[in-house]
Amino acid sequence: MAYVILALIALASGVIGALVGLGGGIILVPLTLYFGAELGWIEGINPQKVVGLSVIMMIFTGLSSTLSHMKAKTVDYRSGLIFFAGSVPGTLIGAYVNKGLEIASFNLYFGILLIILATILLVRDKVKPIHWFVDHGTKRTFIDPAGETHVYGYPIWFALLLTFGIGFASGLFGIGGGSILVPAMLILFLFPPHVAVATSMFMVFLSAIVNSISHIYLGNVPWLYTLPVIPAAYLGATLGSMLNRKMQSKTVVTMLRIILLIIGIRSIIDGIWG
């Protein structure tokens, strides 16, 4: 039963994560904690094990999604490497801090983060794009299939600072970082949506490798549980990437806002009174 539950969670995490560039950890972590730690349906689960499982999963969701986006030529490799360079030290520090979190504290802080992310996704389409970062940074161009030219960019120092914070959250909570990075890329750096999602997943893949090394060293990876998670997540990410290129993701983002709010509120309640 535990393997079936984990496979279904991983499949959903891969689809949703690749579809909107989130990496999938933000779905897998709270659901696995709920079914494992709260309901007791997955033996041996605690916040550290869930985060370790999540970062291993994101190697494969990131790889699957990146390979798919590479075929569509929507990955900005230079930007992805810059974002990755900024996230590495934050990821290592976050993974170290994670080992001191008890489940109540983890639920509380994770719930607060989910509420913040849901709010960011809620206002993303209502906030006017900010041109300052493009005007004062390194500019990039992208020509979409319709022939339209998009100009985007960012100051490298700001990108490194931003991704350091994203890396810390990734290492601490086992999320891919795309849930924070994608809105920033769209609102601040004016990335075309498909390039933002593809580049985010490329960074998620690279960051997950570093993140997983940290959690393997700390003994946080439940290796037996990776057996159902890895293939299901890889398949889900492949499907999510295909959907990303063929459909509008606004409906999925709207659903994700609601899911994040519900899970976030529940996590905060569990952290305070659970």
Side-chain angles (χ1 to χ4, degrees), residues 38-274:
E38 187 165 338
L39 297 183
W41 291 359
I42 306 173
E43 186 178 354
I45 284 297
N46 58 38
Q48 288 72 31
K49 299 295 183 184
V50 173
V51 171
L53 181 64
S54 177
V55 296
I56 294 295
M57 178 198 73
M58 285 188 294
I59 294 176
F60 295 91
T61 57
L63 175 62
S64 172
S65 183
T66 298
L67 290 174
S68 182
H69 289 303
M70 285 172 63
K71 296 177 182 178
K73 299 181 179 179
T74 52
V75 181
D76 184 340
Y77 298 102
R78 183 175 182 274
S79 294
L81 290 172
I82 290 173
F83 299 156
F84 170 65
S87 71
V88 168
T91 296
L92 296 175
I93 295 172
Y96 180 79
V97 173
N98 169 270
K99 69 178 184 178
L101 284 181
E102 297 179 353
I103 190 165
S105 298
F106 185 94
N107 279 331
L108 177 61
Y109 300 142
F110 190 72
I112 292 172
L113 177 64
L114 291 182
I115 297 296
I116 293 172
L117 296 179
T119 304
I120 291 173
L121 288 171
L122 181 65
V123 304
R124 187 185 74 179
D125 296 331
K126 297 177 176 61
V127 175
K128 292 183 179 180
I130 300 172
H131 292 270
W132 186 90
F133 295 94
V134 176
D135 295 337
H136 293 80
T138 302
K139 292 184 176 64
R140 309 280 288 167
T141 59
F142 173 75
I143 301 175
D144 62 25
E148 182 179 355
T149 300
H150 301 264
V151 179
Y152 62 99
Y154 46 85
I156 292 179
W157 67 267
F158 182 82
L160 292 172
L161 186 63
L162 174 67
T163 51
F164 173 86
I166 292 172
F168 178 81
S170 178
L172 183 63
F173 295 113
I175 61 176
S179 48
I180 307 172
L181 182 60
V182 170
M185 293 165 76
L186 295 174
I187 297 170
L188 303 181
F189 303 158
L190 306 187
F191 270 66
H194 290 297
V195 177
V197 170
T199 305
S200 170
M201 292 306 299
F202 175 55
M203 192 207 76
V204 164
F205 167 62
L206 297 177
S207 298
I209 294 175
V210 175
N211 208 351
S212 65
I213 292 172
S214 302
H215 285 284
I216 290 171
Y217 174 76
L218 294 170
N220 291 343
V221 179
W223 291 107
L224 286 178
Y225 288 152
T226 64
L227 297 178
V229 165
I230 288 174
Y234 190 92
L235 174 61
T238 302
L239 295 174
S241 300
M242 291 171 58
L243 289 172
N244 174 268
R245 297 196 304 270
K246 295 182 178 179
M247 63 176 285
Q248 294 284 336
S249 61
K250 289 184 178 180
T251 302
V252 177
V253 172
T254 300
M255 294 174 58
L256 186 60
R257 294 168 186 159
I258 298 172
I259 293 171
L260 292 181
L261 282 171
I262 293 173
I263 296 175
I265 293 170
R266 182 178 182 84
S267 293
I268 291 174
I269 292 173
D270 287 344
I272 296 175
W273 290 289

